[in-house]
Amino acid sequence: MTTEDMTANDLRRRFLAYFEERGHTIVKSASLVPHDDPTLLFTNAGMVPFKRTFLGEEKRDYVQAASSQKCVRAGGKHNDLENVGHTGRHHTFFEMLGNFSFGDYFKALAIEMAWDLMTRVYGLPEERLWASVYEKDDEAYDLWSRNTGIPEERIVRLGEKDNFWSMGDTGPCGPCSEILIDQGEAIGCGRPECRVGCECDRYLELWNLVFMEFNRDESGKMTPLPKPSIDTGMGLERMAAVIQGAKNNYETDLFMPSIRQIEALSGHAFRVSPEVDVSMKVVADHSRAAAFLIGDGVLPSNEGRGYVLRRILRRAIRYGRTLGLTRPFLHQTARKVSQVMSAAYPELLESDAYITNIIKGEEERFLATLDAGLRVLEDALDELRAQGASQVPGDLVFKMYDTYGFPVDIIQDIVRDDRMSLEMKGFDAAMERQRFRSRRDRPFYPEGSAYAKLSAQGIKTDFLGYECTRSDSQVVMIVRQGKDVEKAEEGDEIELVTAGTPFYGGAGGQVGDRGRIYGQGFEMAVSDTLKDPNNIIIHKGNILRGQIAAGQTVTLAVDEDRRLAIAKNHTVTHILHAVLRQVLGDHVKQAGSLVAPDRLRFDFTHFAAINEETLQKIETLVNDRIQQNVPLETEEMLAEEAFKTGATALFEEKYGDSVRVVAIEDFSKELCGGTHTDRTGDIGLFKIVSEGSVAAGVRRIEAVTGTVALGLAQKAFHTLNALAETLKTKPDELVARVEKLMAHQKALEKELAAIKTKAQAEASDQALSDIQVVDGVSVLAQEVSVDTPAALRDLADNLKARMKSGIIVLGSKANGKVLLVAVVTKDHLETYHAGQILKEVAAVVGGGGGGRPDMAQAGGSKPEKLTEALAAVYEIVAKRGAYRQET
Ligand SMILES: [Zn+2]
Ligand SMILES: [Zn+2]
């Protein structure tokens, strides 16, 4: 195989095989949604899943690993979104190949293997390869020079900015070293000072080797790590481009199938006009991110990860529009991605129907407002251009966002060539005003809200409920009928705010606490507790006795049993979430939840119904975790600490707020402000009650815990026992017993049907004896007792068969109505018409009807006239016969 024939799949496979042969454990790509770092928006590097191993917080049963990791850089700190499409190397989604040593081999072997793989396995020309090292890292310099074929003039020393890496402000850090390829003067900027480190594409970085050598403490002091580690990263797309001789990443076999498809859909050709190329690159890139993100359980929404996905989808749709793609197309290009990537990620193809469904829904929603929005925006921009404006006003940006669903990126893309910037301050202010309005519009917010006054003063309730369920505090505000009042008395329905409270205000799916608030002669029953968006906790309830005034000190006591029941159901949702991911896959993501004292509801992304067996497995695994009885650990950090790791878009929290990370060993880690049990064992028992669908791609599990689960099991057991007793058997033999009973019942039904048929025959024998002959025609008119028209017809048919020749009219009283049927045998059809005969008969019982000449059915409303009607039959036949014979 020549180098240029190497596909991206070959490249990935050879990388992993190379390190596997050298004792590395091949680790499957982790989800794009990091499960053990809830503060990180997306997995954005190969080392992310190993972060805790590098920090020494997690032990693995291997010390060398290699992986090809799915990564997304969009939103948060690493935001490449607006560059994607305009360059050949930026992507929202990419794969990172890497080998890792956790305190095992270090610089020498890392460099040796990297060089060997690049030159021997990938066949890159040695004479074009360069290496960079950190300026003070003589060790790495010497290793390159001694152990590889690189001459010293192609080893460059670079400064801290390029070649020193750190995990954060504190923690592991160290020098790094890169392998670069010289793509030739033709590719470069052509400036005389062009060399390694230049911004242009001539010296392209291919592989970064990080030598984690030191630990940096808070004062900035670096001490050598006892066991230095290796973390390396090589972008698959870039490597594929170099090996396949492509000018940029898009011209590799990773992207070209998508580009070809976009050409076919749009009728435009790639590599003809720069504008068209940008659009095609955006669509090709974003289709990949969309397919992989949705495959990992992210759904488009207005916050956090979901909003990043929505921005990516909408940006692609807008660029598709510039290619003339005015109907939904992105779900098709995403399906192509699933096909192209299926060799390495077969799970993508398995959830293909789900992924395309979600994308198509988003396309239809956005296309509905896109045209109108673009018109409004272009008109406004024309005006601004005419004025020579350099900024797009924040109000306009907000209007586009709010009315037409345009993410800010889209407006940025549109004004890119105008060199206009967006006035983000104005946008943020408009956004803040809207948030305020939506808060005010909440149902329990009275107009001119009393609470807005409190938050304007910077007052927030101190939540004490993580530590206790009872405490004393001062009344800050009393609200009665929407108005801020000085005091309230017995019988009043009020809302009460205190400086601090152990009461949990309903949020994040967990319902609010109930309990009592009391003081000197005063007692209030709290029926619900709410939390407003500014973290003011509001107790709602009824004053049972006494009076209360602002400024007084009261004792707040949460209903502890209820709180504990809620905590059990809450804690178990964390376990359930983790178990679902373990059993069903990484695409499982929480889509909603309700945590009440008596039950819990957990909604999550998943493609199909869960069968009984799997559901039982999930239930068992959750109960296993409960029985392990491990403690829950809570880490509090300031929102800004979390922001630093790239979580900007993840929270509604503001700077200064603290966020809580709740962990159950290394098994579950979630950002959560709710109240939990101390240990998993406190949950007692977990029982799933139902599983079903709530929306496309969203499933719901309902379950119970603790004494409710016990009660449920006891009740079921009791029912079984009672049933067994009634059936005189043992519970274990119930199924067999019931099956036997049902078989017996079937036999009885069959027997009964035979008896009925026999009785009917006997009844018709009886009837036949009542035949009268009118004008030589046998006529039978008789009342019978059957209760459905079908049965009446059957009886008439039966009599007809036995009579062979004649006219039959039967009547029956059923449910206060009359049923009638008339039959004329074939040999009398020339003269008689069943429908006409019955019409006259029915008239007597206050009904109507008719039918065919040989058979007719009718009804009537006067059962008391049935005898009279049937008696008239003979006359009608005689009259009809005479009439017919005359004509
Ligand atoms: Zn250059
Ligand atoms: Zn929680």
Side-chain angles (χ1 to χ4, degrees):
M1 185 188 285
T2 65
T3 308
E4 291 194 11
D5 289 338
M6 207 186 288
T7 63
N9 277 334
D10 294 333
L11 213 161
R12 189 194 296 110
R13 207 179 50 234
R14 285 183 185 204
F15 183 94
L16 298 175
Y18 181 89
F19 287 103
E20 192 170 27
E21 283 160 19
R22 282 154 186 80
H24 290 62
T25 298
I26 304 307
V27 179
K28 193 177 174 292
S29 173
S31 170
L32 284 168
V33 179
H35 97 101
D36 62 354
D37 191 350
T39 65
L40 184 66
L41 206 47
F42 298 113
T43 302
N44 56 15
M47 62 82 68
V48 167
F50 303 108
K51 202 165 147 185
R52 297 181 56 232
T53 311
F54 282 122
L55 289 167
E57 293 171 3
E58 179 184 39
K59 261 238 140 359
R60 293 184 181 242
D61 48 17
Y62 46 83
V63 287
Q64 304 174 354
S67 67
S68 178
Q69 174 63 46
K70 300 179 275 188
C71 298
V72 162
R73 286 188 187 170
K77 194 169 85 175
H78 296 289
N79 190 357
D80 288 347
L81 194 56
E82 66 248 30
N83 285 323
V84 175
H86 297 280
T87 72
R89 312 252 176 247
H90 285 94
H91 300 293
T92 48
F93 171 86
F94 60 96
E95 286 175 85
M96 201 183 267
L97 300 167
N99 57 298
F100 309 94
S101 153
F102 312 113
D104 191 57
Y105 63 83
F106 200 47
K107 286 182 195 175
L109 192 56
I111 288 173
E112 193 184 301
M113 289 192 294
W115 182 255
D116 184 42
L117 184 76
M118 284 301 217
T119 55
R120 199 174 51 77
V121 179
Y122 287 155
L124 295 180
E126 289 189 23
E127 66 282 4
R128 281 169 56 200
L129 294 179
W130 289 61
S132 71
V133 298
Y134 177 51
E135 55 195 0
K136 293 176 192 160
D137 193 358
D138 295 333
E139 187 188 2
Y141 188 96
D142 291 343
L143 285 167
W144 279 113
S145 156
R146 269 205 320 268
N147 300 348
T148 72
I150 295 196
E152 296 205 345
E153 61 268 25
R154 291 214 309 273
I155 307 171
V156 266
R157 292 175 186 265
L158 294 174
E160 197 165 330
K161 185 177 143 285
D162 288 303
N163 281 45
F164 197 89
W165 177 92
S166 53
M167 197 181 279
D169 292 343
T170 61
C173 58
C176 51
S177 178
E178 283 185 305
I179 301 180
L180 307 95
I181 190 161
D182 180 1
Q183 305 215 86
E185 271 175 59
I187 300 283
C189 58
R191 294 178 303 168
E193 66 270 30
C194 184
R195 54 183 304 260
V196 170
C198 180
E199 291 293 310
C200 77
D201 254 7
R202 174 166 176 180
Y203 300 98
L204 198 62
E205 295 115 8
L206 293 179
W207 198 349
N208 189 16
L209 316 176
V210 173
F211 311 129
M212 285 185 208
E213 204 166 357
F214 307 105
N215 186 39
R216 183 153 46 194
D217 69 14
E218 269 160 28
S219 69
K221 193 174 144 238
M222 293 195 291
T223 46
L225 287 166
K227 284 185 170 181
S229 292
I230 293 291
D231 155 32
T232 83
M234 178 202 291
L236 175 70
E237 294 75 10
R238 176 174 291 202
M239 196 61 194
V242 166
I243 284 193
Q244 294 171 11
K247 274 208 204 63
N248 60 58
N249 300 358
Y250 291 92
E251 295 179 23
T252 63
D253 65 331
L254 285 168
F255 290 89
M256 277 319 283
S258 297
I259 299 274
R260 292 281 172 253
Q261 187 196 27
I262 299 162
E263 285 183 318
L265 286 170
S266 70
H268 287 278
F270 190 51
R271 290 209 292 188
V272 172
S273 103
E275 289 80 33
V276 165
D277 282 7
V278 168
S279 297
M280 287 190 175
K281 287 175 188 169
V282 168
V283 173
D285 174 274
H286 289 12
S287 300
R288 289 185 1 131
F292 276 96
L293 283 171
I294 296 170
D296 275 348
V298 181
L299 288 174
S301 77
N302 275 336
E303 55 177 25
R305 298 181 175 112
Y307 192 58
V308 177
L309 172 60
R310 173 161 283 168
R311 281 161 57 195
I312 290 172
L313 290 169
R314 295 194 167 183
R315 187 168 185 260
I317 295 165
R318 212 283 295 179
Y319 272 105
R321 170 62 49 114
T322 68
L323 295 170
L325 298 168
T326 54
R327 297 166 59 94
F329 65 93
L330 199 59
H331 62 287
Q332 288 168 281
T333 56
R335 172 170 292 151
K336 177 62 88 185
V337 170
S338 301
Q339 290 161 357
V340 171
M341 303 301 283
S342 63
Y345 303 97
E347 67 276 12
L348 212 54
L349 211 51
E350 279 160 29
S351 42
D352 168 61
Y354 168 78
I355 294 170
T356 50
N357 234 338
I358 300 290
I359 296 180
K360 200 165 176 214
E362 183 73 4
E363 284 191 274
E364 280 161 359
R365 242 189 314 277
F366 188 47
L367 284 170
T369 59
L370 180 59
D371 272 330
L374 284 172
R375 268 197 304 277
V376 169
L377 181 63
E378 280 304 332
D379 285 351
L381 288 176
D382 280 346
E383 211 164 295
L384 289 169
R385 287 174 190 127
Q387 294 163 6
S390 63
Q391 261 200 339
V392 181
D395 280 344
L396 177 61
V397 179
F398 179 73
K399 180 180 164 192
M400 297 313 301
Y401 164 84
D402 192 40
T403 312
Y404 302 103
F406 278 39
V408 170
D409 319 77
I410 289 188
I411 304 168
Q412 220 142 30
D413 287 330
I414 291 174
V415 301
R416 197 181 171 97
D417 295 332
D418 294 307
R419 297 179 191 287
M420 268 194 257
S421 60
L422 309 189
E423 195 233 328
M424 291 309 290
K425 248 190 185 158
F427 172 78
D428 291 341
M431 196 76 167
E432 194 50 44
R433 281 198 298 279
Q434 195 214 35
R435 276 198 198 116
F436 179 78
R437 275 197 303 276
S438 68
R439 261 170 235 157
R440 198 191 58 194
D441 292 345
R442 289 199 186 182
F444 77 91
Y445 272 99
E447 191 59 33
S449 166
Y451 304 112
K453 204 166 84 189
L454 283 186
S455 40
Q457 292 163 21
I459 294 173
K460 261 188 241 177
T461 313
D462 198 4
F463 179 60
L464 312 165
Y466 295 128
E467 290 86 32
C468 64
T469 51
R470 172 189 298 255
S471 73
D472 291 350
S473 189
Q474 210 175 36
V475 176
V476 171
M477 182 178 271
I478 303 163
V479 173
R480 195 180 55 211
Q481 290 174 341
K483 285 199 177 65
D484 175 9
V485 293
E486 273 307 303
K487 59 178 182 212
E489 55 185 35
E490 192 175 314
D492 286 350
E493 283 286 339
I494 59 163
E495 292 161 22
L496 188 84
V497 178
T498 48
T501 180
F503 280 72
Y504 182 81
Q510 180 178 331
V511 300
D513 278 331
R514 288 183 191 168
R516 284 187 327 132
I517 298 175
Y518 55 91
Q520 285 175 326
F522 164 80
E523 187 178 0
M524 168 181 176
V526 178
S527 58
D528 197 4
T529 310
L530 308 155
K531 187 166 98 172
D532 94 335
N534 291 313
N535 292 327
I536 295 171
I537 296 172
I538 302 159
H539 311 89
K540 282 183 75 151
N542 186 16
I543 300 180
L544 301 175
R545 61 193 174 89
Q547 282 193 346
I548 187 73
Q552 274 181 13
T553 296
V554 288
T555 300
L556 300 111
V558 174
D559 177 342
E560 286 177 12
D561 291 345
R562 188 173 175 275
R563 158 71 80 79
L564 184 61
I566 294 169
K568 287 175 184 176
N569 284 337
H570 185 131
T571 307
V572 94
T573 59
H574 288 243
I575 301 176
L576 176 62
H577 188 185
V579 166
L580 286 171
R581 286 176 69 104
Q582 178 192 332
V583 174
L584 303 176
D586 275 344
H587 61 274
V588 168
K589 196 192 148 229
Q590 179 167 349
S593 80
L594 170 80
V595 178
D598 56 339
R599 76 209 146 101
L600 68 99
R601 200 167 72 199
F602 190 74
D603 297 347
F604 56 98
T605 52
H606 184 57
F607 326 123
I610 303 170
N611 64 36
E612 185 63 37
E613 196 189 331
T614 312
L615 213 55
Q616 223 170 68
K617 185 178 167 194
I618 290 166
E619 195 175 86
T620 305
L621 286 171
V622 171
N623 279 296
D624 285 349
R625 292 286 170 185
I626 292 171
Q627 281 160 30
Q628 282 163 10
N629 195 20
V630 293
L632 271 82
E633 272 154 42
T634 307
E635 188 192 346
E636 257 188 81
M637 60 169 95
L638 286 173
E640 42 269 57
E641 276 175 52
F643 293 148
K644 268 190 215 152
T645 60
T648 338
L650 196 53
F651 312 112
E652 277 190 33
E653 276 84 357
K654 296 184 193 67
Y655 280 77
D657 288 348
S658 71
V659 296
R660 295 167 64 83
V661 178
V662 178
I664 307 172
E665 296 206 308
D666 57 355
F667 170 71
S668 156
K669 206 167 184 184
E670 293 191 32
L671 272 189
C672 185
T675 57
H676 306 88
T677 59
D678 292 337
R679 306 182 74 93
T680 60
D682 300 340
I683 298 163
L685 179 64
F686 170 76
K687 180 83 195 80
I688 293 173
V689 176
S690 72
E691 190 274 339
S693 166
V694 266
V698 181
R699 310 290 307 176
R700 169 173 293 174
I701 282 181
E702 291 181 296
V704 292
T705 61
T707 48
V708 180
L710 179 65
L712 192 76
Q714 284 171 334
K715 199 176 146 203
F717 204 71
H718 174 80
T719 306
L720 270 186
N721 277 334
L723 207 57
E725 200 169 307
T726 310
L727 295 175
K728 300 194 173 28
T729 184
K730 292 177 197 128
D732 282 351
E733 282 152 24
L734 262 179
V735 174
R737 182 87 181 91
V738 169
E739 273 168 2
K740 206 169 143 193
L741 271 176
M742 286 175 71
H744 184 59
Q745 187 187 331
K746 221 170 186 177
L748 285 177
E749 276 167 3
K750 222 168 150 185
E751 204 173 314
L752 185 63
I755 291 169
K756 266 189 183 164
T757 312
K758 198 169 162 230
Q760 215 171 43
E762 280 168 11
S764 57
D765 282 348
Q766 177 66 35
L768 286 173
S769 62
D770 289 344
I771 291 172
Q772 293 187 25
V773 179
V774 181
D775 291 345
V777 180
S778 301
V779 178
L780 175 63
Q782 200 173 51
E783 182 177 342
V784 294
S785 60
V786 294
D787 46 13
T788 67
L792 192 62
R793 199 174 56 229
D794 286 349
L795 185 55
D797 278 343
N798 184 297
L799 288 167
K800 178 181 155 189
R802 300 182 56 172
M803 232 166 96
K804 308 232 165 43
S805 170
I807 296 169
I808 302 159
V809 177
L810 301 178
S812 170
K813 295 174 193 166
N815 306 319
K817 293 253 162 59
V818 178
L819 300 174
L820 291 167
V821 65
V823 174
V824 175
T825 55
K826 220 183 228 167
D827 53 325
H828 292 298
L829 286 177
E830 295 242 312
T831 318
Y832 300 100
H833 188 287
Q836 285 172 4
I837 293 171
L838 201 61
K839 201 170 165 188
E840 286 186 51
V841 178
V844 181
V845 290
R852 303 197 314 259
D854 61 333
M855 211 283 291
Q857 285 195 273
S861 55
K862 298 176 183 161
E864 68 278 7
K865 295 263 195 175
L866 180 60
T867 312
E868 189 187 320
L870 288 169
V873 169
Y874 302 100
E875 244 170 80
I876 293 165
V877 170
K879 195 176 74 195
R880 286 249 151 214
Y883 169 72
R884 282 293 177 120
Q885 276 152 11
E886 275 163 27
T887 54

